[in-house]
Amino acid sequence: PTIALAWKAHGGSRRFAWPPGEGTRVSRKVLDRYFEALRSQDWESLGACLAEDVLRTGPYLDAVRGKEAYVEFLAGVIPTLLNYELELHEVRPLKGGSALALLSEILDRDGVQTEFPEALVFDFDDAGLIQAVDIYIKQPPRVRAEEGEGSE
């Protein structure tokens, strides 16, 4: 049998099959705790979801290695984001035990609430802790005049 996951998706529930096995159950629970800790800015609980040698690779290929460094990084950034919200849309298991999370981070940008759609790929160690996080962000369009393009 498979383990069914229900994730909030724009006011409703969507169901996804997670392959059977103890490791996948542990990984799903770790992701639940990770996202709840991120939303509530509970850095100790977030750190408990991470492997000691976790590697976070950001959208600009910026890397943060190690549990302590990653928690410090998030603790230094998230509280500075005005009216920060995190909406988890869905999580899908991937072959090999990884997981794909589709979410939005919502925050004030230049006085306007702005949504940043993201895709995060998670890898897990043998204990089910997060070993790697790869982050992909879709940036909202900017007005060309603001960037100085098209002025020739």
Side-chain angles (χ1 to χ4, degrees), residues 88-104:
L88 182 63
H89 303 300
E90 62 186 79
V91 175
R92 294 184 181 187
L94 302 174
K95 288 184 179 181
S98 298
L100 170 68
L102 302 177
L103 59 96
S104 293

Side-chain angles (χ1 to χ4, degrees), residues 65-126:
R65 182 176 291 280
K67 177 178 9 185
E68 187 176 325
Y70 185 35
V71 172
E72 285 179 13
F73 171 78
L74 290 173
V77 172
I78 299 296
T80 68
L81 304 175
L82 294 176
N83 298 315
Y84 177 80
E85 296 176 38
L86 185 146
E87 287 185 14
L88 182 63
H89 303 300
E90 62 186 79
V91 175
R92 294 184 181 187
L94 302 174
K95 288 184 179 181
S98 298
L100 170 68
L102 302 177
L103 59 96
S104 293
E105 288 186 296
I106 302 162
L107 55 111
D108 287 354
R109 179 178 177 187
D110 299 326
V112 176
Q113 192 173 37
T114 307
E115 181 175 349
F116 296 88
E118 300 180 22
L120 280 64
V121 177
F122 292 90
D123 292 323
F124 303 92
D125 67 8
D126 291 338

Side-chain angles (χ1 to χ4, degrees), residues 25-97:
R25 280 192 289 268
V26 170
S27 300
R28 186 275 170 118
K29 289 177 183 177
V30 167
L31 285 178
D32 286 344
R33 291 193 330 260
Y34 173 86
F35 285 115
E36 183 52 40
L38 194 55
R39 276 189 201 100
S40 63
Q41 300 181 31
D42 180 350
W43 308 121
E44 185 177 336
S45 293
L46 190 133
C49 301
L50 305 173
E52 286 297 327
D53 60 345
V54 64
L55 174 62
R56 177 250 187 219
T57 304
Y60 304 103
L61 300 180
D62 50 312
V64 177
R65 182 176 291 280
K67 177 178 9 185
E68 187 176 325
Y70 185 35
V71 172
E72 285 179 13
F73 171 78
L74 290 173
V77 172
I78 299 296
T80 68
L81 304 175
L82 294 176
N83 298 315
Y84 177 80
E85 296 176 38
L86 185 146
E87 287 185 14
L88 182 63
H89 303 300
E90 62 186 79
V91 175
R92 294 184 181 187
L94 302 174
K95 288 184 179 181

